[in-house]
Amino acid sequence: MDDKKTIIGGGFFRPEEKTFIDKVSDILLKAQTMYTPQLTDFLNLREQTILNNLINKYDDLFVHYFGGYDGAERVRGIIAPDYFVPKESDYGIAMYEIRYPEKFANLHHGQILGSLTGSGVERDRFGDIITDGENWQFFVFESMSDYIEDQVKKIGPYKIHLIAKSFNDLLLPKDESTDETITVQSLRLDTIISDVYDLSRQNAKALVEHGKVQINWVVNKNASSFITITDTLSTRGYGRIRINDIMGRSKNKKYLLSVNIIKK
């Protein structure tokens, strides 16, 4: 659990982020006027960055984060006056382990994500999906536990059982990502995808325009969109890129980026 985080990503907001900004602004105002803790949905890294920027305007408010385990990518935030010290139970998070026929099935993240959203659960209602390479767990609103247990009976073609677990039974997540430093000509979406996956700009642009690329889990068909710190780019069939830092320019005027890459 973290207190007010270092502000990263500057004050750059996209037009499509206005709905989220308005929603969080309302929560901040409610926390300030009522002087009581307010709980958010699960937030991705970009949403956390936006919240961190907005809460900086409130001297008497802090945000605490927790996603079920230390280092979680998707977390719930508690916006509260400085006197409030949250407990894990205050975040309203349940953890489930997926029991499936391991001898016959090979689950993957996309299957599980699809089954959860396909059951009618909005993406902001559940957190990380983690694995140790064999077993799988995920995090969801505690208030939705009964619904999840009733609705999620299959993942892909396989029948499964969901077992509620305590945080003490957390798997040791297997990290298949790599941290790399890359140089790119520009911060355009198609440029990043082209350089990371060794594609032509034309092919990278086609992937974007055909709806196969997401920025922060939202489809983006504009190849000229600019990326920023904490953005997560997901490209169907290729993998995921997280922008950890924009470290300036190289001698030949290219942008120097620190990225985390998961390749399919």
Side-chain angles (χ1 to χ4, degrees):
M1 287 176 282
D2 298 319
D3 291 336
K4 186 177 292 187
K5 291 189 172 182
T6 302
I7 295 177
I8 54 179
F12 169 71
F13 300 129
R14 299 184 175 92
E16 60 267 27
E17 293 170 334
K18 184 178 184 303
T19 299
F20 176 76
I21 292 170
D22 289 344
K23 182 178 180 179
V24 171
S25 296
D26 288 342
I27 295 174
L28 287 165
L29 183 60
K30 188 175 181 180
Q32 184 185 54
T33 56
M34 298 182 65
Y35 212 61
T36 56
Q38 303 295 320
L39 183 61
T40 73
D41 297 335
F42 279 101
L43 308 178
N44 62 43
L45 291 172
R46 176 60 182 167
E47 291 167 338
Q48 294 168 49
T49 299
I50 293 172
L51 174 53
N52 291 337
N53 274 274
L54 294 176
I55 202 169
N56 194 51
K57 300 175 184 177
Y58 298 81
D59 293 336
D60 54 344
L61 294 181
F62 285 80
V63 59
H64 308 263
Y65 293 106
F66 185 59
Y69 65 102
D70 289 339
E73 185 173 295
R74 295 180 61 82
V75 296
R76 300 191 78 177
I78 293 180
I79 299 166
D82 53 10
Y83 70 82
F84 182 77
V85 179
K87 305 182 296 294
E88 287 185 357
S89 58
D90 294 327
Y91 292 88
I93 298 174
M95 185 179 83
Y96 281 94
E97 188 160 309
I98 302 169
R99 297 287 171 83
Y100 66 101
E102 298 172 15
K103 291 183 179 179
F104 309 103
N106 183 21
L107 298 186
H108 56 79
H109 186 281
Q111 281 182 316
I112 299 169
L113 178 61
S115 295
L116 291 171
T117 55
S119 71
V121 182
E122 297 291 336
R123 185 65 180 97
D124 57 13
R125 299 298 192 265
F126 59 91
D128 284 1
I129 300 169
I130 61 174
T131 182
D132 61 2
E134 181 177 345
N135 303 294
W136 290 85
Q137 294 174 339
F138 66 89
F139 303 86
V140 67
F141 278 16
E142 191 173 40
S143 60
M144 299 194 71
S145 294
D146 290 343
Y147 179 86
I148 288 289
E149 291 176 18
D150 183 62
Q151 294 295 317
V152 182
K153 303 291 186 181
K154 293 180 68 177
I155 293 178
Y158 308 111
K159 291 184 178 180
I160 59 98
H161 295 284
L162 298 181
I163 309 298
K165 292 282 188 175
S166 76
F167 297 145
N168 293 328
D169 297 317
L170 179 77
L171 299 175
L172 182 62
K174 182 180 180 181
D175 187 359
E176 297 181 334
S177 66
T178 58
D179 288 320
E180 299 182 19
T181 299
I182 64 172
T183 56
V184 292
Q185 193 68 45
S186 78
L187 299 178
R188 283 173 52 117
L189 177 59
D190 57 352
T191 301
I192 306 296
I193 293 170
S194 172
D195 284 13
V196 170
Y197 298 122
D198 196 23
L199 301 170
S200 69
R201 279 285 296 277
Q202 185 177 1
N203 287 341
K205 184 177 180 181
L207 285 171
V208 177
E209 292 177 345
H210 285 87
K212 295 185 178 181
V213 177
Q214 297 179 339
I215 298 180
N216 301 320
W217 295 273
V218 176
V219 173
N220 187 303
K221 295 185 178 181
N222 182 3
S224 63
S225 294
F226 286 93
I227 61 90
T228 189
I229 299 172
T230 69
D231 276 345
T232 298
L233 317 179
S234 305
T235 305
R236 192 185 311 166
Y238 289 87
R240 195 181 75 173
I241 308 163
R242 186 177 69 232
I243 311 300
N244 291 332
D245 196 9
I246 300 172
M247 301 182 293
R249 301 253 193 154
S250 63
K251 290 182 179 179
N252 59 359
K253 303 301 182 182
K254 288 188 175 182
Y255 288 95
L256 195 63
L257 305 184
S258 171
V259 297
N260 180 268
I261 300 172
I262 299 177
K263 293 185 178 180
K264 292 287 188 184

